[in-house]
Amino acid sequence: MNPTPSFSNPRSSFSTSVPVLARQTQGPKTDRRITMIRYHLHHPKTPRPLRFSRLRALRHWTIHRAAQLYLHAQRRRQELELERQYNAMRAACEELRVGLDDGGRLYRQATTRKGLFGGVKMEGEIVGNGGVPIEYAKAQVEGPPRGGWDHAWTR
């Protein structure tokens, strides 16, 4: 005698309806991201993809790779040049700070920002633009002014 009861379906479902009918009523779930990708891929204004023969694809890849390597080398050279300039400036500042026998006085005077943007008080009135950097004193614009260059303008 078998102590366990036998079922026609070993897995019990949460629904009493037939599973096939339940799947048919829900319909397929569409992902919005996939829909947007398909929309933009097959949009009328999207250019057709490049289709090259094997030899032309190899030429295209070789030229593209060479251009990428050239640009990488150029960026690296510029980065090394900036690093060299930065290190030279840092060494010069360090030499000013500790190399002279003035206790760093020249370094402090060279790096002070007091009165840098004007606004220095002379004879009871402020001379300059009141401590505002010149970049902020004039409006930042993309093109030249209508009146041309103002030669009489001073800080």
Side-chain angles (χ1 to χ4, degrees), residues 48-148:
R48 66 176 180 78
L50 295 176
R51 293 193 178 146
F52 293 141
S53 66
R54 284 192 188 104
L55 189 58
R56 187 156 180 210
L58 181 63
R59 280 197 312 253
H60 174 79
W61 180 84
T62 306
I63 292 169
H64 177 73
R65 183 70 182 138
Q68 292 298 318
L69 288 171
Y70 173 74
L71 289 175
H72 175 72
Q74 191 177 26
R75 280 192 296 267
R76 182 73 180 138
R77 278 194 304 271
Q78 289 172 349
E79 184 180 312
L80 287 173
E81 177 64 18
L82 283 175
E83 185 178 346
R84 184 192 67 76
Q85 289 175 0
Y86 172 77
N87 289 335
M89 288 295 293
R90 188 173 47 129
C93 286
E94 188 66 19
E95 181 65 27
L96 274 178
R97 193 173 68 83
V98 296
L100 301 174
D101 292 330
D102 64 349
R105 186 182 62 81
L106 185 59
Y107 175 76
R108 283 193 307 278
Q109 285 180 350
T111 57
T112 184
R113 297 183 189 277
K114 187 174 182 181
L116 181 67
F117 302 119
V120 179
K121 217 173 202 189
M122 295 179 84
E123 299 173 7
E125 65 180 45
I126 295 179
V127 178
N129 55 5
V132 178
I134 191 65
E135 291 83 13
Y136 300 126
K138 293 187 81 174
Q140 301 285 320
V141 294
E142 292 292 321
R146 288 192 181 92

Side-chain angles (χ1 to χ4, degrees), residues 20-28:
V20 176
L21 289 176
R23 269 188 254 128
Q24 286 175 353
T25 57
Q26 287 179 345

